[in-house]
Amino acid sequence: MNLATAILIAYLIGSISFAVLVSRAFGLPDPRSYGSGNPGATNVLRTGKRAAAALTLLGDALKGWFALAVVQQHVVADPLAVGAAAVAVVAGHMWPLYFRFAGGKGVATAVGVLVALNWWLAAGTVATWVIIAGFFRISSLASLVAAAFAPFFAFFLHGMGRFELEPAIGVTVISLLLVWRHRDNIRNLLAGTERKFGGGSAGSPQD
């Protein structure tokens, strides 16, 4: 029962779409109706409201952290339940119950989960994102590379005896979900049409 409870609580928390809620509070259009159609901070930023985008990013990350904190402290600290809850909260963001299962790609929520699981894991993954984003100026590419490295960091920490196996497997599942949710971005990257920071595409020169 504790395992099922952990999964349910995490999924319901993950289903809270801050992109939609923050947009409503700021009087902005539904983020699913413009741009990429993705209810996330990057799409909200297309409105020009940086504060709304920042609050979306913060809210999505915090719900990932909060869901794991609730499960670990008030439901069960069993590694299997924690690993399953980690997947469930990200799945909730991607397929939210409250918003007709039309959710985002889960990057910010996944970062919040990693922070709750292990600070070193989160730091390594975020550092990977920053390095790739700094060099290539493509958010989706940075997210994909960071997602690929996160399981490596998790199993490395497990090998050092600083991380349980079940959460490491959970991180791997999350990474696979993130890659799958970025499948359109992958096609754009291969075609050289993915947008860079600043508005250009991956295949076009930048000013």
Side-chain angles (χ1 to χ4, degrees), residues 64-69 71-72 77-87 89-90 109-123 150 154 157 162-172 174:
W65 171 85
F66 180 70
L68 267 292
V71 169
Q72 290 173 315
D78 176 70
L80 176 60
V82 171
V87 175
V89 66
V90 175
T109 302
V111 171
V113 167
L114 297 184
V115 171
L117 289 175
N118 186 288
W119 271 102
W120 288 107
L121 172 60
L157 289 169
R162 301 179 66 178
F163 201 55
E164 290 95 349
L165 177 61
E166 292 85 350
I169 295 173
V171 170
T172 303
I174 290 170

Side-chain angles (χ1 to χ4, degrees), residues 90-91 93-95 104-111 114 125 129 140 142-148 150-151 170-186:
V90 175
H93 177 84
M94 294 177 175
W95 299 284
K105 294 178 180 176
V107 175
T109 302
V111 171
L114 297 184
T125 304
W129 190 96
S140 60
S143 298
L144 286 164
V145 174
V171 170
T172 303
V173 175
I174 290 170
S175 295
L176 292 172
L177 288 174
L178 289 176
V179 171
W180 186 79
R181 290 290 282 186
H182 281 80
R183 59 195 183 279
D184 290 338
N185 303 92
I186 293 172

Side-chain angles (χ1 to χ4, degrees), residues 4-192:
T5 302
I7 292 172
L8 178 61
I9 289 174
Y11 173 75
L12 293 177
I13 293 174
S15 290
I16 301 170
S17 178
F18 281 92
V20 175
L21 297 178
V22 170
S23 293
R24 289 176 182 173
F26 276 76
L28 302 174
D30 190 312
R32 296 167 294 182
S33 67
Y34 62 85
S36 66
N38 178 59
T42 300
N43 207 33
V44 173
L45 187 60
R46 289 188 170 96
T47 64
K49 295 289 187 178
R50 295 185 178 181
L55 285 174
T56 298
L57 181 67
L58 180 62
D60 284 343
L62 281 177
K63 75 180 179 184
W65 171 85
F66 180 70
L68 267 292
V70 169
V71 169
Q72 290 173 315
Q73 296 181 23
H74 301 290
V75 182
V76 58
D78 176 70
L80 176 60
V82 171
V87 175
V89 66
V90 175
H93 177 84
M94 294 177 175
W95 299 284
L97 177 66
Y98 318 125
F99 299 94
R100 300 179 181 179
F101 304 101
K105 294 178 180 176
V107 175
T109 302
V111 171
V113 167
L114 297 184
V115 171
L117 289 175
N118 186 288
W119 271 102
W120 288 107
L121 172 60
T125 304
V126 171
T128 301
W129 190 96
V130 170
I131 291 169
I132 299 301
F135 272 101
F136 296 97
R137 297 174 61 196
I138 305 175
S139 177
S140 60
L141 177 62
S143 298
L144 286 164
V145 174
F149 272 83
F152 169 79
F153 295 140
F155 280 99
F156 177 76
L157 289 169
H158 171 66
M160 295 177 65
R162 301 179 66 178
F163 201 55
E164 290 95 349
L165 177 61
E166 292 85 350
I169 295 173
V171 170
T172 303
V173 175
I174 290 170
S175 295
L176 292 172
L177 288 174
L178 289 176
V179 171
W180 186 79
R181 290 290 282 186
H182 281 80
R183 59 195 183 279
D184 290 338
N185 303 92
I186 293 172
R187 284 193 285 266
N188 292 338
L189 286 166
L190 293 174

